[in-house]
C-alpha cells in the first residue's frame, strides 16, 4: 500500500509544481507587460516609476513652465473648465492629478464669488435693514463662506502635493481644501462620494487609462459629472505643423533653460502625441458607463475638455 501512495503523492506534487511554474510564468509575463513612456517602450511597472520621477523633478518649476510653454493660455483653458462646471453651493469636488491646486483654487474662487453675489442680492431685497443688521448678515455668511462646498486634491506624487499645499497657504486658501496622496487607478475613496471629478493634464500619464476612468465612475455620485482637460489633436493642418515644431524644438529647450531638465519636458511633449484622439477618448469614457459624453476643442484642438455624467 505504501508504494502506490508514494506514487500518488509524487504525481500530485509534480502537478502542483507544474501549476506553480505556469502561475509563475503568467505572473512574470504580466509583470513584463509593455506600454509607452513617451516614444519609448517600457514595462508597465517601469512607466509608473519614470512618470513619478518626471513630476518629482518638475514640481518646483511646474507653474512657471506652464506659463512659459503655453504663453499663459493654460490659465484660460482652466478658467473655461470652471465655467463649464458651474460649481454650486455644497458641491463636493475631487481633482485628481491636481497637485499644484490650479483647478481647486478656481473652484473655491467660483464658490466665493457666488456667495458674495448672493449676499448683495439678499441685502438689496431688504433695503430697510439697519447697519447692525447688515453687519450681522455678513457675519452669519462668513461662518459658512463656502456654503458646504469642498475640494479634495488627489495626486500620486507627494512632491507635487507638497508644492501645492505651500502654494495654497501662500495664496490664502485656508479652508475647503483637502490634500490626499493617491493613485488615479486605485483611488482611496468610497463609492458614490463626489459630485464632480476633474483631471487636468494628468490622465495621459497614467499607465491604464481605462482603469482610471473606471475609478472616476466609481467615486462619483449618481448624477455626478466627469470633466477632463487634456492635450489633444490639433484640427488645423497649418497650426498642427507649427505646433509640432514648437513642441519638439522649443519646449524641451525651455525646460532646460528654466528648470534645468530637458528629458522631463521631452517626455511631456511625446506623451501628448501618444494620447488618444478626441473621438477615441470619448469612446473610452463611454465604455466605462458614462452618458451624455461630449467634448469641446479649445485653441483649435491643442486641448480638449471631455465631459460625461454618471446616470
Amino acid at each position: 500500500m505504501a508504494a502506490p501512495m508514494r506514487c500518488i503523492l509524487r504525481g500530485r506534487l509534480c502537478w502542483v509544481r507544474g501549476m506553480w511554474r505556469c502561475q509563475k510564468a503568467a505572473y512574470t509575463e504580466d509583470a513584463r507587460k509593455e506600454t509607452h513612456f513617451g516614444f519609448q517602450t517600457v514595462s508597465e511597472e517601469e512607466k509608473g516609476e519614470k512618470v513619478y520621477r518626471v513630476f518629482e523633478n518638475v514640481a518646483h518649476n511646474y507653474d512657471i513652465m506652464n506659463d512659459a510653454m503655453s504663453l499663459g493660455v493654460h490659465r484660460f483653458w482652466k478658467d473655461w473648465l470652471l465655467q463649464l462646471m458651474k460649481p454650486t453651493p455644497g458641491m463636493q469636488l475631487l481633482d485628481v492629478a491636481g497637485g499644484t491646486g490650479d483647478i481647486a483654487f478656481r473652484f473655491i474662487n467660483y464658490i466665493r464669488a457666488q456667495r458674495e453675489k448672493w449676499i448683495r442680492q439678499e441685502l438689496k431685497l431688504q433695503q430697510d435693514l439697519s447697519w447692525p443688521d447688515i453687519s450681522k448678515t455678513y457675519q452669519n455668511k462668513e461662518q459658512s463662506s463656502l456654503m458646504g462646498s469642498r475640494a479634495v486634491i488627489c495626486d500620486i506624487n507627494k512632491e507635487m502635493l507638497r508644492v501645492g499645499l505651500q502654494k495654497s497657504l501662500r495664496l490664502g486658501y485656508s479652508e475647503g481644501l483637502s490634500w490626499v496622496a493617491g493613485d488615479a487607478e486605485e483611488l482611496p475613496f468610497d463609492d458614490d462620494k463626489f459630485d464632480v471629478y476633474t483631471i487636468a493634464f494628468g490622465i495621459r500619464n497614467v499607465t491604464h487609462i481605462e482603469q482610471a476612468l473606471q475609478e472616476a465612475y466609481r467615486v462619483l455620485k449618481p448624477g455626478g459629472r466627469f470633466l477632463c482637460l487634456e492635450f489633444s489633436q490639433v484640427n488645423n493642418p497649418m497650426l498642427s505643423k507649427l505646433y509640432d515644431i514648437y513642441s519638439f524644438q522649443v519646449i524641451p529647450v525651455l525646460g532646460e533653460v528654466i528648470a534645468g531638465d530637458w528629458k522631463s519636458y521631452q517626455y511631456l511633449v511625446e506623451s501628448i502625441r501618444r494620447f488618444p484622439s478626441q473621438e477615441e477618448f470619448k469612446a473610452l469614457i463611454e465604455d466605462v458607463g458614462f452618458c451624455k459624453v461630449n467634448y469641446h476643442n479649445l485653441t483649435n484642438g491643442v486641448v480638449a475638455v471631455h465631459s460625461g455624467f454618471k446616470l
Side-chain angles (χ1 to χ4, degrees):
M1 292 295 293
M5 181 63 71
R6 281 197 296 271
C7 290
I8 291 171
L9 289 174
R10 285 196 192 101
R12 185 175 180 183
L13 183 59
C14 289
W15 179 81
V16 171
R17 283 175 177 166
M19 286 295 294
W20 180 81
R21 289 192 187 99
C22 290
Q23 290 173 353
K24 183 179 179 183
Y27 175 80
T28 303
E29 184 178 349
D30 286 344
R32 291 176 179 171
K33 281 184 179 178
E34 292 183 339
T35 185
H36 57 81
F37 175 77
F39 292 160
Q40 300 178 44
T41 300
V42 298
S43 69
E44 291 183 345
E45 181 180 359
E46 189 179 5
K47 175 174 180 175
E49 294 170 355
K50 283 178 173 289
V51 169
Y52 192 94
R53 286 198 296 270
V54 164
F55 285 92
E56 194 171 48
N57 292 339
V58 305
H60 291 280
N61 295 289
Y62 190 77
D63 290 332
I64 296 172
M65 280 300 298
N66 278 348
D67 281 330
M69 289 187 298
S70 71
L71 305 178
V73 179
H74 75 99
R75 298 171 182 269
F76 158 76
W77 295 332
K78 292 167 183 173
D79 289 341
W80 198 93
L81 177 68
L82 264 293
Q83 290 297 323
L84 181 64
M85 184 195 304
K86 291 183 174 63
T88 56
M91 183 176 281
Q92 305 299 300
L93 168 70
L94 174 62
D95 184 35
V96 176
T100 57
D102 278 1
I103 301 301
F105 298 160
R106 283 169 168 78
F107 173 80
I108 296 296
N109 290 343
Y110 197 104
I111 295 294
R112 285 177 176 172
Q114 281 190 324
R115 169 183 166 273
E116 292 299 324
K117 180 180 178 180
W118 290 335
I119 289 176
R120 292 191 184 96
Q121 289 176 342
E122 184 175 328
L123 291 173
K124 283 180 180 178
L125 296 175
Q126 304 176 44
Q127 295 292 338
D128 58 342
L129 287 179
S130 65
W131 168 243
D133 289 333
I134 293 174
S135 179
K136 186 177 179 181
T137 298
Y138 272 97
Q139 288 173 2
N140 291 337
K141 294 294 183 181
E142 186 64 31
Q143 293 173 6
S144 57
S145 63
L146 297 179
M147 298 173 285
S149 300
R150 189 163 194 84
V152 177
I153 300 102
C154 180
D155 200 300
I156 196 171
N157 195 288
K158 294 181 180 179
E159 191 61 25
M160 291 286 285
L161 285 172
R162 191 175 73 82
V163 171
L165 179 57
Q166 291 175 344
K167 180 180 172 183
S168 72
L169 296 175
R170 187 174 70 252
L171 296 176
Y173 293 96
S174 58
E175 62 173 336
L177 296 175
S178 298
W179 304 81
V180 178
D183 187 344
E185 296 182 33
E186 194 173 352
L187 294 171
F189 306 109
D190 294 336
D191 297 356
D192 306 330
K193 186 175 178 65
F194 297 96
D195 299 297
V196 180
Y197 171 113
T198 56
I199 183 165
F201 305 118
I203 202 163
R204 75 180 189 281
N205 297 307
V206 305
T207 303
H208 306 100
I209 292 176
E210 294 87 349
Q211 179 63 28
L213 292 173
Q214 289 169 5
E215 281 292 274
Y217 189 89
R218 179 183 67 80
V219 301
L220 279 170
K221 298 175 183 177
R225 189 175 195 179
F226 168 86
L227 287 168
C228 176
L229 172 62
E230 187 55 87
F231 289 106
S232 202
Q233 291 192 3
V234 178
N235 52 27
N236 180 304
M238 181 62 70
L239 179 60
S240 180
K241 292 179 181 179
L242 294 174
Y243 181 52
D244 281 344
I245 293 171
Y246 178 76
S247 296
F248 288 101
Q249 297 186 19
V250 177
I251 288 179
V253 175
L254 287 174
E256 181 65 29
V257 172
I258 296 174
D261 189 349
W262 179 293
K263 290 184 178 180
S264 292
Y265 289 95
Q266 182 70 27
Y267 157 72
L268 292 174
V269 169
E270 293 175 359
S271 68
I272 294 169
R273 301 313 188 277
R274 298 301 299 264
F275 191 69
S277 69
Q278 289 91 323
E279 284 292 329
E280 290 169 335
F281 188 48
K282 178 187 176 187
L284 291 177
I285 298 169
E286 290 173 332
D287 285 346
V288 302
F290 284 106
C291 300
K292 297 178 67 65
V293 179
N294 58 36
Y295 61 86
H296 304 266
N297 286 323
L298 303 179
T299 318
N300 286 293
V302 171
V303 302
V305 177
H306 281 77
S307 169
F309 292 87
K310 179 179 177 177
L311 301 178

